[in-house]
Amino acid sequence: MKQISLAALILFVGIVLFPGNAHAQSAGVPTTGWVEPIECPIEVPESVAVECGALNVPENYEDPASPTINLPYILLHSNNPEPLPDPLIYTDGGPGWSSLDSIWGFVNSPILAERNVIVFEQRGNKYAHPSLVCDGSFFWEAAPGNTPCLDSIKAKGVDIAQYNTANIVRDIIALRQALDYEAWNLYGTSFSTSLMLLVMEADPPSVRSVILRSVKPPSETTFDHQADSGLRAIEQMFTDCRADQACSEAYPNLESQFFELVRDLNLSPVKVEVKGADEDETIQLEIDGHTFLDWVVIDNLYRPAFPPFGTAYIPLLIDEVSNGNLAPLETIAKRYWNGSVGESQWSLGLLMAINCQQDLPAAGASRPAADLAASEQLDGFARNANQEKICAAWELPALSPAGAEYVRSDIPALVLAGSYDPVTPPVWSKTTAEQLPNSTYVEFPAQGHNVTINNPCAQKLQADFLHNPAKKLDINCVQGETKPSFILPNELFIAPGLASSGDDISIGNPQGNPWIEALALFSIMLMIVSLIGLFVLAIMRLVRGRRIGAGLSKSAVVAWILAVLLILSALSLPILVTRFNAEYQNANLIHFALGPDRNFIPAVILAWISPAIGLLFVALASLTMWAWLSHRWPLGIRLMTSLVVLATLTMIFLGLRWGLFTILL
């Protein structure tokens, strides 16, 4: 009797202190995790009530003695004083993309009008403990023995085999149990759609509804259909350009230009020098046709196919590079390199842990015929070929596939896809929806992988669906969505050199060139001194009771005027270039690399003032040289105009370096 009483007492205490665990045990689902409040790991909105917490679970679910890992989540409270009891749980894709910053996408969402939203950081991601984030520069050179990322992970004592899809699914279920929710709504995008589909299978009574965006079915891998999916999206761009009269007239040979460009770059890659992680280290990158496909084309197809997004600029980029303008590629390569060095939002360790242990072993022994044909058409392209080399170097053990087939469930689902998606083709989303009889499938004709970007219709459909998943969804708003459209050559100043100006002069930023910065500062100071000197000479003549030009030859007066105009014009050049960098630093990378819009006033001024500086410089330099040779003009004026010419030399050099004198052309 005493043993029974003691057991009852322990059970009573457990129910009182840990109600979430008691509920889960009563439902017959084992629990392993607990939550605790934490300081928010990122900046959070002030307009919404927010709670930050962390789920604590074992790294290895099969070994209770394994280390405990800490997985943050952020709970956004509904602005409804009586929110519905079933929140929305969201986690991001990748694998390896941090989820927490996604809270900002929900702050003004109509979803918060009814229910809370939970954003959950997957194990191994940036804000999880431990994190598998590492310096991404290893991604550029996959070779045997080149394993700095893996080595840094092992140094933390991490059991990398535990960072897989199955365990992340268990983490999501453990979070629901620990927070004591009887039911909730799932939201997954890209890789995390696999997670949510598997949660539907593993914990169906708890799932009220599910939103799946850009579906990657558990049975599909990262390594099959990679060329086929990319080519399909690229050909969608060609089709839409041909259907648009202005686009087809501007780029009549776009498709042939594109395939020839890929082959030409593979034969003769563009070489770009960049700074390594060590400031004294210089690394030479090669941009071949496959790199062009991977970064420039396919990465931009993640976003919508209309301005201001990158896809809208791809036809112009293809045309420019095909005609010999390689500068935009150099700018794009440098920006990609700078983004890959050091830590970022992307946990490349988690990406490789899942892809090397699960996706690569699950990929077909031989790639599907459609993918081989697409790869041949793209001159041997395979999007994740570098990852295959990295996996060979990492030598991780193979795990069981995440799923063997498409998930079948009666749970209500909303499935969203974009026609331009280059990595999870719409057919995956459509086939997934066909296995979910209570689902609605919606495909957006101008959207890429990130379907909801600049897409009010998708936002509305999500809120309407969550309000009543059982009701037939009205999808007519799709008809009013922005259609695909592309930037034409006459809409931009083609000035790729402008993008490099920020690398040359970036005061206080390590990426700046210290020699050019010092030269520019010296030149500016010299021009200011010269301008002051010219005004002092003018004031001295006035003080002496003489007109400024009295007693001077016409050539001296002209030189005086030219000097003042040249100084003012030259000083405006760095100001205008700085305005460009400030305005376009957050623009999409292709737009930044090509040049500013023709209606951007600082660029218009720059386009006209740059050749004016050149003409003024030639005129003043010629006059000053003539004056010294013929001993004309007072000595003070000759000295001042000489200083102006000398000071302006740096601006002429920078103007030539950045291609400013030919912007109008």
CSV table of all heavy atoms in Angstrom, one decimal, residues 29 82 113 251 271 472 513:
chain,number,residue,atom,x,y,z
A,29,VAL,N,1.1,9.5,-25.8
A,29,VAL,CA,2.3,10.0,-26.5
A,29,VAL,C,3.4,10.2,-25.6
A,29,VAL,O,3.3,11.0,-24.6
A,29,VAL,CB,2.0,11.2,-27.3
A,29,VAL,CG1,3.2,11.7,-28.2
A,29,VAL,CG2,0.7,11.0,-28.2
A,82,GLU,N,-9.1,37.1,-26.6
A,82,GLU,CA,-9.5,35.7,-26.4
A,82,GLU,C,-9.1,34.9,-27.6
A,82,GLU,O,-10.0,34.5,-28.5
A,82,GLU,CB,-11.0,35.6,-26.1
A,82,GLU,CG,-11.4,36.3,-24.8
A,82,GLU,CD,-12.9,36.1,-24.5
A,82,GLU,OE1,-13.5,35.4,-25.3
A,82,GLU,OE2,-13.3,36.7,-23.5
A,113,ALA,N,-4.9,38.0,-35.8
A,113,ALA,CA,-6.2,38.5,-35.4
A,113,ALA,C,-7.0,37.4,-34.7
A,113,ALA,O,-8.0,37.7,-33.9
A,113,ALA,CB,-7.0,39.0,-36.5
A,251,TYR,N,14.8,41.5,-76.5
A,251,TYR,CA,15.7,40.3,-76.4
A,251,TYR,C,15.2,39.2,-77.3
A,251,TYR,O,14.8,38.2,-76.9
A,251,TYR,CB,15.7,39.8,-74.9
A,251,TYR,CG,15.9,40.8,-73.9
A,251,TYR,CD1,14.8,41.2,-73.0
A,251,TYR,CD2,17.1,41.5,-73.7
A,251,TYR,CE1,15.0,42.2,-72.0
A,251,TYR,CE2,17.3,42.4,-72.7
A,251,TYR,CZ,16.3,42.8,-71.9
A,251,TYR,OH,16.4,43.7,-70.9
A,271,LYS,N,37.5,35.3,-64.1
A,271,LYS,CA,38.4,35.2,-62.9
A,271,LYS,C,38.2,36.4,-62.1
A,271,LYS,O,38.3,37.5,-62.6
A,271,LYS,CB,39.8,34.9,-63.3
A,271,LYS,CG,40.1,33.5,-63.9
A,271,LYS,CD,41.5,33.3,-64.3
A,271,LYS,CE,41.8,31.9,-64.7
A,271,LYS,NZ,40.9,31.5,-65.9
A,472,LYS,N,-14.9,25.7,-48.4
A,472,LYS,CA,-14.3,25.8,-49.8
A,472,LYS,C,-13.7,27.2,-49.9
A,472,LYS,O,-14.3,28.2,-49.6
A,472,LYS,CB,-15.4,25.6,-50.8
A,472,LYS,CG,-14.8,25.6,-52.3
A,472,LYS,CD,-15.9,25.3,-53.3
A,472,LYS,CE,-15.3,25.6,-54.7
A,472,LYS,NZ,-14.2,24.7,-55.0
A,513,ASN,N,39.3,49.8,-49.9
A,513,ASN,CA,40.7,49.8,-50.3
A,513,ASN,C,41.4,51.0,-49.6
A,513,ASN,O,41.2,52.1,-50.0
A,513,ASN,CB,40.8,49.9,-51.8
A,513,ASN,CG,42.2,49.8,-52.3
A,513,ASN,OD1,43.1,50.3,-51.8
A,513,ASN,ND2,42.4,49.0,-53.4
